[in-house]
Amino acid sequence: MDYVSALLPPFVMAVLFISVIRVIVKSQGGPNKAKEDAVVDAALARAENTRQADGDSRATGA
């Protein structure tokens, strides 16, 4: 029974690792890609607007 207790943790970790990789691969592309791209584009636009607003306020305050 010692060999079972020695092999169980690596086997469980391997199964979990393979499961995570499969989920990551399956979630790439398809209908999820458009939603993810839209979220990233919105976040980049918001960051750019914030950066420009901060730059403009510094220029007028100086």
Side-chain angles (χ1 to χ4, degrees), residues 20-45:
V20 167
I21 297 301
R22 288 187 68 197
V23 167
I24 290 172
V25 169
K26 283 186 175 185
S27 67
Q28 299 299 310
N32 292 334
K33 184 169 178 47
K35 289 192 293 187
E36 292 171 358
D37 289 346
V39 169
V40 169
D41 289 341
L44 289 174

Side-chain angles (χ1 to χ4, degrees), residues 1-61:
M1 290 305 286
D2 288 337
Y3 63 90
V4 173
S5 63
L7 291 176
L8 188 62
F11 180 73
V12 170
M13 291 301 292
V15 169
L16 291 175
F17 180 73
I18 291 170
S19 303
V20 167
I21 297 301
R22 288 187 68 197
V23 167
I24 290 172
V25 169
K26 283 186 175 185
S27 67
Q28 299 299 310
N32 292 334
K33 184 169 178 47
K35 289 192 293 187
E36 292 171 358
D37 289 346
V39 169
V40 169
D41 289 341
L44 289 174
R46 188 173 33 233
E48 181 67 23
N49 289 338
T50 302
R51 188 179 65 83
Q52 288 178 351
D54 288 346
D56 293 342
S57 65
R58 288 185 195 146
T60 57

